[in-house]
Amino acid sequence: MAVTMFVALLAGALPFHATAQTDIAQSNDLKIAVDSLQEKADSSRDTLLKVFDVTLAEIKELLSKEKFIQAAADKDEAIAAFAQTHLDTLKSHEAYIELLTQQASDEVATLDDVKNIAVTAKEWRATIYEPNTKEIFALLLFLQARSVVGTATSRLTLITADLKKLNAVASRVDNQALAQFLVNAQKNIKNAKANLEAARVALLAREVLEKKLQIVFLNISTTYGKIFLPMSRIAQKY
């Protein structure tokens, strides 16, 4: 009778033991799955954080550019306002990326959380950050062109004054050549100034200005290489 009961109990225990083994196996599978997802989340997080680090470095570099900072106090009030707006916007971009970095660094963030942060950051970069930084680079290029035109204009003023003195001692042929060079230089610089102003208007209207600035740089480089340099060689004869 005891044997019969023992067998009966053992028989009843077998299904329980099998079920326990199954539960343990399923538990292990779940743990492996969770660990795998966590590894993927960690890997995705590391990649995303590296992207954020690069973006923050870009922002800090722009914020440290002296010409950009000085532009906010430019004598041209419209340019100053444009620069200040973009400085403020860039600082807000910096704060936003730092916030996303904090969210992505959270240890409890799941793979889906990391993916959602990545999607948000991608959309933000394409629709907000990149257009804004493009305008900042356009501003910096405009400021460079304006500086180049200003230097060339000052150089032309000095050359014009020197030619008046040189006119008394230079040969007729050289004086004629110098006079023609002077006319060409004035024409080039005038054209450069016109395109610079057109670029300024385009910049403030948030329109494309690169082609206009290309003309400015071409006018100035031509003036130096094909006008000022030959004039200097003639002047060195006297």
Side-chain angles (χ1 to χ4, degrees):
M1 180 66 178
V3 173
T4 303
M5 290 179 63
F6 176 77
V7 171
L9 288 172
L10 184 61
L14 285 175
F16 171 79
H17 180 66
T19 301
Q21 284 186 323
T22 301
D23 288 344
I24 292 172
Q26 289 177 343
S27 177
N28 287 335
D29 288 344
L30 180 60
K31 184 177 183 302
I32 293 171
V34 170
D35 289 344
S36 177
L37 286 173
Q38 188 59 48
E39 288 177 3
K40 290 180 180 179
D42 291 339
S43 177
S44 298
R45 180 188 292 111
D46 290 342
T47 301
L48 187 58
L49 290 177
K50 288 178 182 178
V51 172
F52 287 165
D53 285 342
V54 171
T55 302
L56 280 173
E58 291 173 350
I59 293 173
K60 291 181 185 298
E61 183 180 359
L62 282 173
L63 287 173
S64 68
K65 285 188 178 295
E66 189 174 350
K67 287 185 178 180
F68 186 23
I69 298 171
Q70 291 175 345
D74 198 86
K75 292 180 180 180
D76 185 330
E77 293 182 0
I79 292 296
F82 184 88
Q84 186 61 58
T85 295
H86 282 77
L87 273 172
D88 293 341
T89 300
L90 207 55
K91 290 175 183 176
S92 70
H93 290 343
E94 183 180 29
Y96 182 64
I97 288 297
E98 288 174 345
L99 174 62
L100 291 183
T101 298
Q102 183 180 356
Q103 292 176 349
S105 300
D106 194 333
E107 292 182 358
V108 301
T110 64
L111 180 59
D112 284 340
D113 291 334
V114 175
K115 285 181 178 179
N116 289 334
I117 294 171
V119 170
T120 299
K122 182 180 179 181
E123 291 177 353
W124 169 84
R125 185 178 180 94
T127 60
I128 299 176
Y129 177 72
E130 289 182 355
N132 285 343
T133 52
K134 185 177 180 181
E135 290 181 357
I136 292 172
F137 285 123
L139 170 64
L140 293 173
L141 188 61
F142 167 79
L143 294 174
Q144 182 183 1
R146 190 180 66 176
S147 176
V148 167
V149 171
T151 301
T153 301
S154 298
R155 181 74 182 275
L156 179 62
T157 300
L158 292 174
I159 290 174
T160 302
D162 288 341
L163 288 184
K164 291 179 180 179
K165 301 174 184 177
L166 191 61
N167 184 62
V169 295
S171 68
R172 182 175 62 83
V173 173
D174 283 342
N175 275 328
Q176 288 178 342
L178 289 169
Q180 186 58 54
F181 278 134
L182 185 61
V183 169
N184 292 340
Q186 292 170 337
K187 182 178 179 181
N188 277 0
I189 291 178
K190 182 179 179 180
N191 191 36
K193 288 181 176 179
N195 278 282
L196 183 67
E197 177 57 25
R200 174 185 175 278
V201 172
L203 175 69
L204 297 176
R206 289 173 167 77
E207 298 173 351
V208 178
L209 74 162
E210 282 78 7
K211 289 185 178 180
K212 297 178 180 63
L213 291 182
Q214 285 176 2
I215 296 174
V216 172
F217 287 120
L218 179 60
N219 284 149
I220 299 304
S221 64
T222 300
T223 301
Y224 273 94
K226 296 186 177 181
I227 299 176
F228 286 167
L229 183 57
M231 291 178 80
S232 176
R233 288 171 178 166
I234 292 175
Q236 288 175 1
K237 293 164 55 178
Y238 300 96

